[in-house]
Amino acid sequence: WRVRKDGAQFWANAVITAVFDAGGELHGFVKVTRDETDRKIAENNRRQLDVIADTTVRGIFSAGLALHSALGINTDPRIADRLEDAINILDATLTQIRTIAISRTTTRDLPEPAT
């Protein structure tokens, strides 16, 4: 983190390069600092979303396993139908989450369009 003259903080990527003349003599250094706050915030948000998605998938999967278990010991066909409906809903939800996750990972590393 760096601090601007106005006191605002920003996430910086700084590169320092030596500057030489044609004869190879050192003339000084150049420092280029880039504001990467937006990239840092996006990266942190992505990590938080990954944790939320992982927790959600685990919860849905656990609920599906519990419903499958209940279905195995159930003897009432009406209850069995409702359990199967719930299992199908959870399976569809997991499929949607997987589709979203796959699309995020395939587009995540693409360069941003030039402006």
Side-chain angles (χ1 to χ4, degrees):
W1 288 101
R2 301 288 174 115
V3 179
R4 290 190 177 89
K5 290 180 184 178
D6 66 0
Q9 290 187 335
F10 68 102
W11 185 259
N13 176 356
V15 177
I16 299 173
T17 305
V19 178
F20 298 94
D21 65 13
E25 189 171 328
L26 179 66
H27 274 279
F29 296 89
V30 174
K31 180 178 177 182
V32 177
T33 303
R34 292 185 182 97
D35 182 346
E36 299 214 357
T37 305
D38 290 341
R39 184 194 60 77
K40 180 70 170 170
I41 290 169
E43 182 180 300
N44 288 342
N45 289 343
R46 231 184 341 257
R47 278 195 203 114
Q48 289 175 350
L49 284 174
D50 288 343
V51 169
I52 291 168
D54 184 55
T55 303
T56 302
V57 168
R58 288 175 188 263
I60 292 170
F61 188 72
S62 295
L65 289 176
L67 289 172
H68 273 290
S69 176
L71 187 60
I73 61 173
N74 173 59
T75 57
D76 186 339
R78 292 174 300 164
I79 293 175
D81 287 344
R82 299 202 85 183
L83 289 172
E84 286 178 11
D85 288 344
I87 291 167
N88 291 334
I89 291 168
L90 290 175
D91 285 344
T93 303
L94 282 175
T95 299
Q96 289 174 339
I97 292 171
R98 282 190 201 110
T99 302
I100 292 167
I102 288 169
S103 71
R104 279 188 62 232
T105 57
T106 57
T107 60
R108 177 183 296 178
D109 299 323
L110 295 176
E112 292 188 20
T115 55

